[in-house]
Amino acid sequence: MILANIDDYRELARRRLPHFLFEYIDGGAFSETTLRSNANDLQKILLRQRVLRDVSEVSTATTLFGQKLAMPIGLAPVGIAGLNARRGEVQAAQAAEAAGVPFCLSTVSACSIDEVRAGVNNPVWFQLYMIRDRGFLREMLARAKAAGTNTLLFTVDMPVPATRYRDMRSGLSYGTMFQRKLTRSLQVLRRPQWAWDVGICGRPHSLGNIAPVLGENAGIDEFWAWLGKNFDPTVTWADIDRIRTEWDGHFIIKGILDPDDAKQAANIGANGIIVSNHGGRQLDGASSSIRALPKIADAVGDDVTLLMDSGIRSGLDVVRALALGAKAVMIGRPWVYALAARQKTGASEILQLFANEMRVAMALSGCTKISDINRDMIESID
Ligand code: FNR
């Protein structure tokens, strides 16, 4: 199969993965309106075509939170992404490092922060949810710190998990039928690596960062049940403020869609904000991230570093987001599809693809470096 763009990697992932796992990655909340508008609204943004400027040298290099990046893209935290290839998060982190971009490990990863750290040369970013057990939350922070992490993403758009019909239909709802579904899929596919990786073979280390609270013999069902019980809906700005003061690295709030919330994030001293609706997986009917981005950029100005995610599917989309005020974007599904399709090679290929697409989009809109990209490049946004 020829893999020309992200749609092809998605299709290959669909063919390779057990049905419930593909649906988990691909799906969104309720009727998936926001999921669709994330990508559709990006496509509606028209850029000005500019000509006759020397574009023989185009550089996508940039600096983010003091870190030099080959391009303004990061791999977003994706829960249990490690199931998509053996020790999947390690492979993806290696691909990100080779491409010169950051990888962010989810709280609920399949591989632990220590395992991922051992597989790369430089520390990775870490994402945290507010966990009811604050003692364990602090333990996780300490582990991330010990692994050299200096950029923490605190995700705030999931005080409760949203309803995802596709996960209900596939059998993957919190605490239900997971193992039975998985086992059946494995029988169909005869791909034992998934059984090995998710702990069906009794490998507690496969349960990632939360393995310490699950006990020796836990499997994926205990993992899923723990998730259902431990997201903390009582979380408020005061909690976030406390965590921020305890964390001495870069502190990024992920999941902001409203300008007033963005101002509050700036007020408590966050270094960055990720304008995000969790890839359309939480409040269905919420604005697409790209529509929210310019309003938030206007609200907070240069007070915080703005990142954006949800719906980015090409290097052209990256340029659109940068033109509307983001310093960088994160990609979620694209790297996971690529990992599922062709393991680490796929993740590397997709980053290369995005870099090439960015360079072409920049050249055809008359930009040769990231600092050339600004709102003047926008023709219209509807
Ligand atoms: C996510 N996302 C996410 N975010 C987070 O902070 N912690 C997490 O554990 C997860 N888990 C997760 C699982 C899956 C399957 C997906 C698709 C997404 C959200 C993720 O970080 C990011 O915000 C979105 O994926 C961005 O949208 P796109 O690029 O997938 O459209």
Side-chain angles (χ1 to χ4, degrees):
M1 175 172 179
I2 292 172
L3 299 164
N5 72 6
I6 188 64
D7 296 338
D8 302 321
Y9 284 88
R10 175 179 175 278
E11 173 55 22
L12 189 52
R14 192 186 64 74
R15 291 185 199 175
R16 292 205 64 225
L17 290 176
H19 176 68
F20 77 92
L21 196 46
F22 177 76
E23 292 289 273
Y24 162 70
I25 298 161
D26 199 56
F30 293 104
S31 55
E32 304 189 338
T33 313
T34 300
L35 171 67
R36 282 188 297 275
S37 62
N38 279 334
N40 291 344
D41 288 351
L42 271 156
Q43 305 241 328
K44 286 184 201 152
I45 295 169
L46 304 184
L47 297 176
R48 291 167 66 195
Q49 171 179 292
R50 303 304 304 273
V51 299
L52 300 174
R53 303 169 167 206
D54 178 356
V55 290
S56 51
E57 303 278 335
V58 175
S59 168
T60 57
T62 192
T63 303
L64 191 69
F65 305 121
Q67 195 179 341
K68 283 191 172 23
L69 308 184
M71 57 185 157
I73 298 179
L75 272 52
V78 171
I80 57 169
L83 303 197
N84 295 285
R86 182 166 292 180
R87 319 320 299 156
E89 287 115 351
V90 177
Q91 296 198 41
Q94 289 169 344
E97 184 165 71
V101 299
F103 172 83
C104 185
L105 188 70
S106 164
T107 304
V108 291
S109 51
C111 303
S112 71
I113 178 85
D114 304 315
E115 185 178 2
V116 173
R117 178 66 189 93
V120 290
N121 297 320
N122 298 300
V124 295
W125 294 7
F126 187 65
Q127 173 265 330
L128 204 58
Y129 283 119
M130 188 56 87
I131 302 294
R132 281 181 197 270
D133 178 347
R134 299 291 199 268
F136 180 56
L137 179 119
R138 292 200 163 79
E139 219 174 277
M140 268 200 281
L141 275 179
R143 289 221 315 271
K145 197 79 212 164
T149 293
N150 77 344
T151 303
L152 182 73
L153 270 56
F154 205 101
T155 300
V156 294
D157 57 6
M158 197 156 167
V160 294
T163 300
R164 301 180 190 146
Y165 297 139
R166 286 211 233 174
D167 289 347
M168 292 169 79
R169 290 191 191 107
S170 76
L172 175 69
S173 281
Y174 287 17
T176 63
M177 297 191 294
F178 187 95
Q179 187 145 339
R180 192 167 60 76
K181 273 275 171 191
L182 183 65
T183 310
R184 186 158 5 111
S185 300
L186 290 167
Q187 283 160 355
V188 172
L189 283 166
R190 299 187 202 295
R191 290 240 175 78
Q193 79 255 32
W194 281 296
W196 190 83
D197 271 342
V198 301
I200 280 183
C201 307
R203 302 180 68 97
H205 76 268
S206 297
L207 302 171
N209 301 310
I210 63 171
V213 282
L214 292 177
E216 278 287 298
N217 296 318
I220 196 71
D221 278 345
E222 287 79 9
F223 176 89
W224 219 241
W226 184 91
L227 280 193
K229 282 192 289 211
N230 277 282
F231 283 103
D232 188 351
T234 70
V235 61
T236 66
W237 285 103
D239 299 294
I240 304 289
D241 198 16
R242 212 164 304 127
I243 302 284
R244 188 199 55 78
T245 52
E246 288 172 23
W247 178 259
D248 56 10
H250 301 293
F251 187 82
I252 322 294
I253 299 184
K254 174 174 183 286
I256 297 280
L257 216 54
D258 187 279
D260 290 338
D261 285 340
K263 284 188 207 154
Q264 185 120 9
N267 285 343
I268 68 156
N271 304 98
I273 291 174
I274 306 186
V275 178
S276 170
N277 54 36
H278 215 101
R281 299 166 74 80
Q282 285 296 102
L283 179 61
D284 195 34
S287 160
S288 64
S289 286
I290 196 68
R291 267 185 193 280
L293 177 64
K295 295 177 204 159
I296 291 178
D298 290 343
V300 296
D302 291 330
D303 295 349
V304 285
T305 299
L306 274 192
L307 283 79
M308 176 267 181
D309 77 22
S310 301
I312 299 284
R313 295 292 178 267
S314 69
L316 171 57
D317 287 343
V318 181
V319 174
R320 288 167 161 142
L322 264 51
L324 286 171
K327 289 280 175 291
V329 304
M330 306 284 287
I331 51 172
R333 293 180 186 83
W335 75 259
V336 185
Y337 294 143
L339 184 72
R342 278 168 59 73
Q343 299 84 45
K344 181 168 135 187
T345 306
S348 296
E349 286 168 350
I350 206 82
L351 289 167
Q352 190 60 50
L353 179 70
F354 272 54
N356 292 341
E357 291 168 345
M358 259 195 95
R359 272 193 288 273
V360 173
M362 286 171 71
L364 297 180
S365 49
C367 301
T368 56
K369 52 189 186 308
I370 294 297
S371 58
D372 291 344
I373 302 177
N374 59 45
R375 261 195 225 182
D376 285 348
M377 296 167 58
I378 305 282
E379 177 87 43
S380 66
I381 61 171
D382 284 305

